[in-house]
């Protein structure tokens, strides 16, 4: 595997059910091999003041080649005005796991 062939793409959502639905839809569409959904607390600037709220983080494992398609998919289904969609390169990982991501996100 070449360096940066894989990404972890992260987004957040304010509703657990909708975060899980978004994760499942991305996996079902083969844009990600898997996703983890877990609670986080976010502190951020919005509307001129500091906000503090509970959110659900979604980490999606995918191939870098799918980054644009996955980003468009997430943005098209997200209720936030400016949703977080950030891709972080995977710089190392077990060969078997990375092969699995590649297989599960391959064009069918």
């Amino acid at each position: 595997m070449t360096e940066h062939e894989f990404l972890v793409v992260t987004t957040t959502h304010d509703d657990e059910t909708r975060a899980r639905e978004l994760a499942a839809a991305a996996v079902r569409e083969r844009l990600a091999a898997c996703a983890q959904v877990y609670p986080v607390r976010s502190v951020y600037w919005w509307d001129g003041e500091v906000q503090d709220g509970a959110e659900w983080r979604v980490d999606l494992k995918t191939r870098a080649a799918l980054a644009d398609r996955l980003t468009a998919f997430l943005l098209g289904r997200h209720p936030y005005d400016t949703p977080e969609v950030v891709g972080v390169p995977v710089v190392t990982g077990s060969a078997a796991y990375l092969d699995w991501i590649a297989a599960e996100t391959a064009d069918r």
Side-chain angles (χ1 to χ4, degrees):
M1 303 294 156
T2 61
E3 186 175 359
H4 308 295
E5 185 175 346
F6 300 95
L7 299 176
V8 176
V9 174
T10 299
T11 191
T12 55
H13 207 296
D14 62 357
D15 179 86
E16 180 182 9
T17 299
R18 291 182 69 191
R20 290 180 184 282
E21 289 170 352
L22 187 61
V27 171
R28 194 170 23 262
E29 292 293 320
R30 301 292 190 166
L31 295 172
C34 70
Q36 281 85 36
V37 179
Y38 51 97
V40 295
R41 187 104 196 146
S42 295
V43 179
Y44 54 95
W45 276 104
W46 192 255
D47 289 334
E49 54 186 274
V50 175
Q51 307 290 321
D52 183 331
E55 290 187 299
W56 293 88
R57 181 173 169 159
V58 182
D59 287 337
L60 301 118
K61 307 330 184 315
T62 192
R63 292 181 292 121
L66 294 173
D68 290 342
R69 285 177 51 201
L70 178 56
T71 296
F73 180 88
L74 295 171
L75 293 176
R77 288 160 179 77
H78 211 293
Y80 287 10
D81 291 339
T82 308
E84 173 187 12
V85 179
V86 177
V88 178
V90 173
V91 296
T92 190
S94 75
Y97 186 75
L98 298 178
D99 287 346
W100 175 78
I101 292 173
E104 294 306 320
T105 59
D107 293 331
R108 305 226 184 251

